[in-house]
Amino acid sequence: MDKILVIDFGSQYTRLIARRVREAGVYSEVHPFNHIPALTEEVRGVILSGSPASVNDKDAPSPDLSGIRGHVPVLAICYGAQLLAKLGGGEVAGAPSREYGRAILHTENNDPLFDGVPKSTTVWMSHGDSIVRLPAGARLIGSTDDVSNAAFRLDGESTWAIQFHPEVHHTDQGPRILSNFVKNICRCSGEWTPASFIDSTVTSLKETIGYGEVILGLSGGVDSSVAALLLQKAVGERLHCIFVDSGLLRKNEFDEVLASYGGMGLQVEGIRAADRFLGDLRGVTDPEAKRKIIGRDYVEVFYEAARKYGNARFLAQGTIYPDVIESAPVGTQAVTIKSHHNVGGLPKDLHFEIVEPLRLLFKDEVRKVGKALGLDPAILNRHPFPGPGLGIRVLGEVTPDKVRTLQEADAIFISALRQYGLYDEVWQAGAMLLPVKSVGVMGDERTYESTVALRAVHSVDGMTADWVHLPYELLAEVSSEIINKVRGVNRVVYDISSKPPSTIEWE
Ligand code: XMP
């Protein structure tokens, strides 16, 4: 399989580069600049990303590129371009002001990178430094009115450098330029499609698992369901799916999800373990402690199930690429904000071998694969839901009563989104039960009850998010229905924070 490596210098756009390359039908992987893997035969080219750093900073990222340059074609973007300029004896200096926004790129000669691109075309700039003198052996191939050295090529090696960002939507010919690089210059075949992914994954799952038995925890969400269908194709009846009622699922979710898997030919065992989870959570208020307890309980339930299935050796997970991808920490220590993901949640001394058939895919790619596998649209388009479920949406201590209260409120909210035809427009939505009580009045009575916060966000991969401008009528209906019908709640608020600086979940 042809592969393009994207070397991450910490730019906010790095993942976007990887996505765009994949959209051109070529598989790509992101690696941080301080862990660049050795080139293998499959690697057809390398893209160097942008960065918030300046090449003139004392600790500016500057990895050894000798194993790459001259061996495979290189496309250096923004910081990457400035790095090549500086390494080659050129000069990079702070621009008088940050150049941010659209510019017109003029290209003169018929360089293969700009094949089929008009001689003048709109590109997107986002940089603080400019290349004021080109490095030795560079040939200028593009300029804008403000940036004379906007694109150049290095003689004697297959290396291109561009100051603008072809990966962002505002660069009109961005897809063309990236496709020229990966297909014409790197000669990748462009056959990375859901169908080819399914074939190659099923083959490699067969090789890895052999005649072993596999346990897979289903969550009812798209990732674990697609993983199940792929594994079913690979190992058939040796796949044992488990769906755990942790007591932290949404209202009626356990029965509904089990029913929806029924039609898919999967062997799914529903295990009721609410008492165990809720018992272990008693008295615990710290979000990270709650996550760890829930993660541990899941693993224990899986272990017990594994014994039943002839000591299954493999544990499959629906981990996807954004969960595993490492971003390059530039100038700062990477900090754990939340120990989110399946990958981080498992104990170190795990006795299973982990199988993660989706660990190379972005969410939208998982959905395409799911569609190609015939997954029920109700599961395919389901909103993401955190592994610890309502355990981290009941803020503070989790009790069975609080979970029930939240389940009712959440069900009212989600069903209103569906009635208004907004469920599929929203990336993720849910309700939180806050650990505060406030005074209200119902009939002639004073009340002193809980607050429910509603959250609905637009996002691409959960890394950044914006709150959704839901119609006031919908919010009004949901608020009055929750306050009238859900006992113990006398106040509803709507969360209007973006991520960053907030996060999607409140814990
Ligand atoms: P945050 O709250 O960090 O969430 O903005 C981003 C996305 O991740 C989900 N999330 C989790 N998923 N285990 C998971 O599997 C977790 O502990 C967890 N915490 C947050 C969240 O729902 C959102 O989609």
Side-chain angles (χ1 to χ4, degrees):
M1 179 175 64
D2 296 339
K3 190 195 282 191
I4 296 288
L5 296 188
V6 179
I7 305 302
D8 182 20
F9 288 105
S11 161
Q12 56 176 327
Y13 297 132
T14 305
R15 283 175 190 214
L16 207 49
I17 302 174
R19 295 174 67 91
R20 295 285 177 258
V21 171
R22 289 173 177 213
E23 280 163 17
V26 176
Y27 174 63
S28 68
E29 274 176 9
V30 176
H31 291 271
F33 72 88
N34 45 3
H35 292 286
I36 302 180
L39 293 189
T40 57
E41 221 178 281
E42 296 147 341
V43 178
R44 293 300 167 102
V46 172
I47 299 181
L48 306 180
S49 85
S51 173
S54 159
V55 288
N56 295 320
D57 290 346
K58 195 159 58 67
D59 299 322
S62 183
D64 176 10
L65 298 174
S66 59
I68 294 176
R69 290 174 64 181
H71 300 281
V72 289
V74 174
L75 175 64
I77 296 173
C78 195
Y79 178 90
Q82 295 168 359
L83 182 65
L84 293 190
K86 178 146 184 181
L87 291 174
E91 192 186 339
V92 177
S97 62
R98 243 181 98 78
E99 286 175 307
Y100 189 80
R102 289 183 176 80
I104 304 293
L105 178 78
H106 307 285
T107 56
E108 288 304 329
N109 34 19
N110 296 321
D111 191 274
L113 189 64
F114 299 128
D115 187 35
V117 173
K119 296 272 178 246
S120 294
T121 181
T122 301
V123 297
W124 183 258
M125 290 286 188
S126 173
H127 57 111
D129 288 348
S130 278
I131 299 167
V132 291
R133 193 179 66 241
L134 289 178
R139 225 175 330 135
L140 190 65
I141 55 171
S143 307
T144 68
D145 291 342
D146 292 327
V147 180
S148 42
N149 297 323
F152 62 91
R153 197 179 155 172
L154 293 176
D155 285 335
E157 57 185 285
S158 228
T159 298
W160 282 257
I162 53 183
Q163 182 60 75
F164 58 91
H165 290 270
E167 68 278 20
V168 305
H169 178 67
H170 312 287
T171 296
D172 284 350
Q173 297 288 324
R176 176 96 205 196
I177 294 169
L178 284 173
S179 164
N180 283 343
F181 178 69
V182 297
K183 290 204 186 137
N184 301 349
I185 295 173
C186 300
R187 306 219 162 272
C188 294
S189 63
E191 285 163 1
W192 165 258
T193 60
S196 72
F197 172 84
I198 292 169
D199 287 348
S200 61
T201 306
V202 168
T203 309
S204 88
L205 285 172
K206 280 184 177 157
E207 277 166 18
T208 314
I209 298 168
Y211 290 100
E213 310 271 329
V214 188
I215 302 267
L216 168 71
L218 285 173
S219 70
V222 61
D223 303 343
S224 60
S225 306
V226 172
L229 290 180
L230 283 168
L231 281 154
Q232 188 189 31
K233 262 181 171 294
V235 304
E237 300 209 324
R238 280 175 289 114
L239 171 67
H240 309 283
C241 300
I242 293 167
F243 181 49
V244 181
D245 179 6
S246 59
L248 303 167
L249 300 174
R250 291 180 142 149
K251 187 179 176 186
N252 299 333
E253 196 170 15
F254 187 65
D255 295 326
E256 282 172 14
V257 167
L258 274 182
S260 70
Y261 285 128
M264 287 161 51
L266 291 170
Q267 303 184 74
V268 185
E269 185 192 357
I271 299 182
R272 292 194 183 269
D275 290 348
R276 171 187 214 143
F277 284 80
L278 291 167
D280 289 346
L281 286 169
R282 198 173 300 135
V284 184
T285 52
D286 175 65
E288 284 299 280
K290 291 199 285 183
R291 276 194 171 80
K292 296 232 158 66
I293 289 169
I294 296 167
R296 193 200 61 209
D297 282 353
Y298 268 115
V299 172
E300 282 174 10
V301 174
F302 290 146
Y303 269 132
E304 285 163 20
R307 270 188 227 121
K308 260 189 287 178
Y309 297 113
N311 278 328
R313 195 154 60 84
F314 297 93
L315 174 66
Q317 298 203 106
T319 315
I320 64 171
Y321 200 44
D323 301 339
V324 286
I325 197 169
E326 270 187 276
S327 294
V330 175
T332 54
Q333 282 298 103
V335 290
T336 304
I337 311 245
K338 300 178 186 183
S339 61
H340 264 198
H341 302 293
N342 309 343
V343 237
L346 292 174
K348 295 226 162 26
D349 58 349
L350 196 74
H351 300 302
F352 289 117
E353 272 180 55
I354 299 291
V355 179
E356 296 174 318
L358 304 175
R359 63 182 284 123
L360 304 178
L361 299 192
F362 288 101
K363 190 107 191 164
D364 53 337
E365 294 171 325
V366 175
R367 289 201 162 116
K368 281 187 197 146
V369 170
K371 199 165 174 205
L373 287 166
L375 184 63
D376 180 348
I379 298 181
L380 204 56
N381 301 318
R382 233 179 153 111
H383 288 174
F385 187 59
L390 300 182
I392 54 160
R393 290 195 180 164
V394 169
L395 273 58
E397 187 186 358
V398 181
T399 65
D401 274 351
K402 289 188 193 172
V403 171
R404 268 192 297 277
T405 304
L406 185 56
Q407 282 173 332
E408 295 300 328
D410 177 79
I412 291 170
F413 183 34
I414 299 297
S415 111
L417 284 173
R418 290 193 194 280
Q419 273 165 24
Y420 274 74
L422 290 173
Y423 183 85
D424 290 334
E425 310 273 307
V426 168
W427 193 78
Q428 185 172 16
M432 324 281 157
L433 186 67
L434 309 194
V436 263
K437 291 200 166 184
S438 70
V439 174
V441 55
M442 237 179 231
D444 292 329
E445 298 286 321
R446 173 189 192 271
T447 59
Y448 187 56
E449 294 179 338
S450 299
T451 304
V452 162
L454 307 176
R455 182 98 164 112
V457 294
H458 289 308
S459 179
V460 176
D461 53 15
M463 295 300 293
T464 59
D466 216 346
W467 62 280
V468 180
H469 295 213
L470 289 179
Y472 281 169
E473 308 84 74
L474 181 152
L475 290 171
E477 270 175 38
V478 171
S479 159
S480 90
E481 197 175 340
I482 290 177
I483 292 172
N484 285 325
K485 294 196 180 153
V486 184
R487 282 193 43 200
V489 176
N490 67 353
R491 197 174 291 273
V492 172
V493 297
Y494 186 53
D495 183 352
I496 53 167
S497 333
S498 302
K499 172 183 180 175
S502 298
T503 52
I504 296 176
E505 306 294 344
W506 282 39
E507 283 197 334

